[in-house]
């Protein structure tokens, strides 16, 4: 069974981004880029499926600028067998990415696609579900536990009220939540090995996909900053302030 | 212009998140219809009909809507989407699950987690964990939108909408619910609570979390929350998590105990009206957003606070 894992190159989660002074976007020049943390969890899960003998091949896919090759090499250092870069300098929105991935799924015929539940840059939380819809496949989003047995997937999902478990036939889409696994660190020998793994490049045109954005960003701004308040001396002071000043208790 | 709001409910009643989604629809303006898909969901439909601003309630009552699977809900929404300029759902785990399917099947973008309505086609939404607000304009014929519930007031009662039955779509049979472990609690629901007591790594372990924070929450009538660190460490279940990828909350009072204040956590609670931080590290970032900071050993001051309330 082939498993496809899309990975997104995003601003590292430790970086506090700045809005450009003209309000047209976020300044991401010269900031540290990393693999979206949820996608790292997705790669890890796929690699574990391979190590367990369930998956035969793990293919990492990324869409965007040439720099995404680095993200694919990271995925291969964790254990993906090969990488595919859909190279474009166009702005990619989730629907376009879902269409690009559908074109690759049609070509590669994986039984399972594992994606991060959301990217920490646009916080959209859409691509996996959209891909499932375009393919007509079942989906299990926000997974905290995945079991594959034969042609069936049993997935525990993190939902607002707690947990729920779904069963579905493959092929299927799974999106990862934080507690599905703890991704391993790529070791130096594996990083070296990853450099020799195959990495193919295709373009949206070659896949026959129109990636034109549907949403236009008119402006970006920083939200109103919350002012730091005061330090209170002790519990009595705190209760007095909450009662008399803030009037919330 | 007509707007279809997809209700979140438990068949017997509407979830409050639906009321926030209706308010966002009111801001956009137009005839507001609410779709209630469920199994034995007549009472929820009646409740939806009483929401102010709702002109019509459409009910699809069938066994295969009992578990709210994304495949079936999305197919039903698509079957009923004709004639609507906007399809709206709350950005709960339910709405987040099925709405992108709806958008993809309509071949339109989804506008996730909006916090503001500028016009019928222009919306404000947070990106980068809420550190940036983007104003986006949709060129699509239908706007598929999820609503950040904390950004819109709950719609009041006072409506008397007509309730109309719509045909169920075919059961896709693609996913089957085999189990549910819902956290049972007599406390208010986290996203609807007026006061939240939230614990982080500093609390140390699960026993401390319960021994220290539950009595405080009881005194305050508060819901209990947690940082990612506390959930990852197993102090409390996943549905306690407040943050960028957990629950977004905006209570009147948020008491952060032993939480350092990573940006991912702040993203989930910085719109609270009043924030109290209790942490022994005076440099903890949580103090930069707290209205009242108490630099102290939480094991000493939390019992004091509970006793003094």
């Amino acid at each position: 069974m082939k498993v496809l894992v899309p990975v997104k190159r995003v601003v590292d989660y430790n970086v506090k981004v700045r809005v450009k002074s003209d309000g047209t976007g976020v300044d991401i020049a010269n900031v540290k880029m990393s693999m979206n943390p949820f996608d790292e969890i997705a790669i890890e899960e796929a690699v574990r499926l391979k190590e367990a003998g369930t998956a035969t091949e793990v293919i990492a896919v990324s869409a965007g600028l040439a720099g995404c090759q680095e993200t694919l090499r990271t995925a291969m250092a964790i254990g993906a067998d090969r990488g595919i870069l859909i190279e474009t300098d166009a702005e990619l929105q989730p629907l376009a990415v879902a269409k690009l991935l559908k074109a690759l799924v049609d070509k590669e015929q994986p039984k399972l696609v594992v994606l991060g539940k959301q990217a920490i840059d646009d916080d959209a939380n859409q691509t996996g579900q959209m891909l499932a819809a375009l393919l007509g496949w079942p989906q299990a989003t926000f997974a905290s536990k995945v079991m594959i047995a034969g042609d069936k997937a049993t997935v525990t999902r993190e939902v607002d009220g707690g947990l729920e478990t779904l069963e579905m036939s493959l092929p299927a889409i799974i999106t990862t939540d934080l507690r599905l696994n703890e991704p391993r660190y790529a070791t130096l020998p594996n990083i070296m090995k990853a450099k020799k793994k195959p990495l193919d490049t295709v373009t949206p045109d070659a896949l026959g996909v129109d990636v034109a954005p549907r949403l236009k960003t008119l402006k970006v701004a920083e939200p109103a900053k919350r002012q730091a308040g005061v330090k209170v001396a002790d519990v009595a002071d705190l209760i007095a302030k909450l009662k008399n000043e803030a009037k919330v208790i | 212009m007509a707007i279809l709001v997809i209700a979140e409910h438990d068949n017997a009643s509407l979830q409050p998140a639906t009321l926030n989604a209706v308010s966002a629809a009111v801001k956009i303006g137009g005839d507001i219809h609410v779709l209630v898909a469920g199994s034995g969901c007549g009472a929820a439909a009646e409740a939806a009909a009483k929401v102010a601003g709702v002109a019509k309630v459409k009910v699809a009552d069938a066994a295969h809507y009992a578990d709210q699977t994304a495949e079936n809900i999305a197919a039903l929404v698509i079957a009923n989407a004709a004639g609507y300029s906007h399809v709206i759902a709350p950005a709960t785990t339910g709405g987040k699950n099925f709405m992108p399917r709806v958008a993809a099947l309509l071949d339109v973008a989804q506008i996730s987690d909006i916090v503001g309505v500028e016009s019928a086609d222009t919306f404000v939404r947070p990106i980068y964990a809420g550190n940036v607000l983007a104003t986006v304009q949709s060129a699509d014929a239908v706007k598929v939108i999820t609503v950040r519930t904390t950004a819109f007031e709950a719609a009041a009662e006072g409506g008397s909408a007509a309730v109309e039955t719509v045909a169920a779509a075919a059961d896709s049979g693609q996913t089957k619910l085999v189990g549910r472990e819902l956290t049972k609690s007599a406390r208010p629901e986290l996203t609807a609570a007026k006061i939240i007591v939230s614990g982080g790594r500093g609390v140390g372990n699960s026993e401390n979390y319960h021994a220290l924070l539950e009595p405080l929450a009881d005194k305050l009538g508060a819901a209990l929350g947690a940082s990612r660190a506390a959930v990852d460490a197993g102090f409390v279940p996943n549905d306690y998590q407040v943050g960028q990828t957990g629950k977004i909350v905006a209570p009147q009072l948020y008491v952060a105990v032993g939480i350092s204040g990573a940006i991912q956590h702040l993203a989930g609670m910085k719109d609270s009206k009043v924030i109290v931080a209790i942490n022994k590290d005076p440099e903890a970032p949580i103090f930069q957003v707290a209205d009242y900071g108490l630099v102290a050993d939480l094991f000493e001051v939390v019992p004091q606070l509970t006793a003094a309330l």
Side-chain angles (χ1 to χ4, degrees):
Chain A
M1 175 177 86
K2 272 195 208 177
V3 182
L4 195 76
V5 184
V7 293
K8 185 174 185 182
R9 179 174 159 90
V10 298
V11 173
D12 186 84
Y13 76 101
N14 275 317
V15 174
K16 189 161 184 320
V17 294
R18 287 213 178 80
V19 169
K20 287 184 194 163
S21 54
D22 62 0
T24 56
V26 170
D27 192 1
I28 57 168
N30 305 316
V31 302
K32 187 182 176 206
M33 304 294 282
S34 298
M35 188 189 299
N36 180 41
F38 288 96
D39 303 349
E40 235 178 292
I41 296 170
I43 280 284
E44 175 68 33
E45 194 65 18
V47 170
R48 289 185 191 188
L49 286 173
K50 191 181 170 193
E51 287 166 348
T54 309
T56 51
E57 189 184 28
V58 177
I59 309 163
V61 182
S62 194
L65 299 168
C68 297
Q69 284 185 19
E70 202 188 325
T71 316
L72 288 169
R73 293 290 174 204
T74 305
M76 291 188 273
I78 295 171
D81 298 292
R82 61 187 167 99
I84 303 172
L85 170 63
I86 307 168
E87 194 172 352
T88 173
D89 58 3
E91 181 197 344
L92 294 176
Q93 293 179 351
L95 181 63
V97 175
K99 288 179 179 180
L100 292 168
L101 293 173
K102 179 182 184 294
L104 278 186
V105 167
D106 289 343
K107 212 164 117 184
E108 296 282 349
Q109 299 283 314
K111 278 288 190 111
L112 187 64
V113 183
V114 189
L115 307 88
K117 77 164 180 181
Q118 85 189 56
I120 60 164
D121 51 2
D122 62 15
D123 283 331
N125 195 333
Q126 299 173 8
T127 306
Q129 297 90 313
M130 286 181 156
L131 177 60
L134 296 176
L135 290 164
W137 288 7
Q139 71 184 46
T141 52
F142 326 145
S144 65
K145 190 176 175 200
V146 172
M147 282 189 316
I148 309 281
D151 225 23
K152 280 230 173 323
T154 307
V155 181
T156 302
R157 311 176 53 231
E158 296 197 357
V159 295
D160 284 338
L163 298 170
E164 71 171 37
T165 304
L166 294 178
E167 201 177 81
M168 64 200 63
S169 295
L170 302 180
I173 302 287
I174 292 172
T175 77
T176 62
D177 217 315
L178 290 170
R179 282 163 285 275
L180 179 59
N181 61 50
E182 209 165 305
R184 69 195 71 184
Y185 286 101
T187 60
L188 189 61
N190 284 339
I191 292 170
M192 299 312 289
K193 250 191 261 171
K195 290 184 177 171
K196 295 202 181 84
K197 290 183 179 175
L199 197 165
D200 292 328
T201 300
V202 292
T203 62
D205 274 350
L207 293 171
V209 175
D210 172 13
V211 297
R214 305 297 187 82
L215 298 179
K216 191 171 150 195
T217 300
L218 302 182
K219 65 167 186 198
V220 299
E222 278 173 28
K225 275 234 164 28
R226 201 181 171 104
Q227 296 300 319
V230 295
K231 295 262 167 66
V232 294
D234 52 29
V235 166
D237 190 11
L238 174 62
I239 291 178
K241 288 222 161 49
L242 290 176
K243 278 195 173 141
N244 306 325
E245 200 175 84
K247 297 187 169 58
V248 287
I249 59 170
Chain B
M1 204 163 69
I3 300 174
L4 186 64
V5 176
I6 318 302
E8 181 148 321
H9 63 89
D10 60 6
N11 292 312
S13 61
L14 276 187
Q15 299 292 346
T18 308
L19 303 175
N20 308 104
V22 168
S23 286
V26 169
K27 280 217 167 153
I28 294 166
D31 267 356
I32 298 170
H33 299 177
V34 175
L35 176 65
V36 179
S39 174
C41 58
E46 289 303 325
K50 292 198 183 84
V51 177
V54 174
K56 192 191 281 184
V57 175
K58 296 186 168 184
V59 193
D61 203 322
H64 60 275
Y65 298 131
D67 301 328
Q68 302 283 312
T69 57
E71 298 79 4
N72 280 337
I73 299 294
L76 178 71
V77 174
I78 294 298
N80 286 280
Y84 291 103
S85 56
H86 298 73
V87 179
I88 298 183
T92 54
T93 51
K96 288 173 180 172
N97 192 31
F98 70 81
M99 284 293 267
R101 271 190 101 100
V102 171
L105 294 172
L106 292 171
D107 192 27
V108 301
Q110 173 176 301
I111 308 138
S112 294
D113 227 4
I114 65 162
V115 295
V117 174
E118 300 277 295
S119 70
D121 67 0
T122 304
F123 308 92
V124 181
R125 58 176 304 265
I127 55 175
Y128 290 97
N131 287 302
V132 179
L133 293 174
T135 304
V136 296
Q137 184 175 40
S138 166
D140 288 318
V142 184
K143 280 74 173 163
V144 172
I145 295 167
T146 62
V147 172
R148 177 165 293 194
T149 54
T150 53
F152 296 88
E153 294 285 324
E157 274 201 13
S160 55
V163 179
E164 170 189 308
T165 303
V166 297
D171 180 6
S172 80
Q174 283 183 300
T175 47
K176 197 172 101 198
L177 182 79
V178 293
R180 219 169 233 170
E181 286 170 55
L182 299 184
T183 305
K184 287 198 177 59
S185 169
R187 293 201 169 76
E189 205 266 313
L190 194 51
T191 54
K194 291 206 161 44
I195 301 180
I196 294 172
V197 173
S198 202
R201 197 196 307 269
V203 173
N205 59 42
S206 180
E207 291 73 39
N208 292 344
Y209 182 98
H210 295 290
L212 283 170
L213 301 192
E214 278 178 1
L216 178 57
D218 287 341
K219 275 277 179 80
L220 289 167
L224 282 168
S227 69
R228 177 188 171 184
V231 178
D232 283 359
F235 301 179
V236 286
N238 62 282
D239 52 300
Y240 281 52
Q241 188 182 328
V242 171
Q244 179 184 15
T245 66
K247 287 189 174 130
I248 310 288
V249 299
Q252 294 290 305
L253 173 62
Y254 188 91
V255 184
V257 180
I259 292 177
S260 64
I263 55 171
Q264 290 80 8
H265 184 75
L266 301 184
M269 45 66 83
K270 67 182 163 61
D271 292 326
S272 304
K273 183 161 171 269
V274 174
I275 297 173
V276 169
I278 300 174
N279 201 303
K280 67 176 182 219
D281 174 11
E283 303 302 318
I286 190 79
F287 288 120
Q288 290 165 21
V289 299
D291 299 282
Y292 304 111
L294 180 54
V295 180
D297 180 355
L298 66 93
F299 296 100
E300 270 174 36
V301 297
V302 171
Q304 283 177 21
L305 179 59
T306 306
L309 281 166

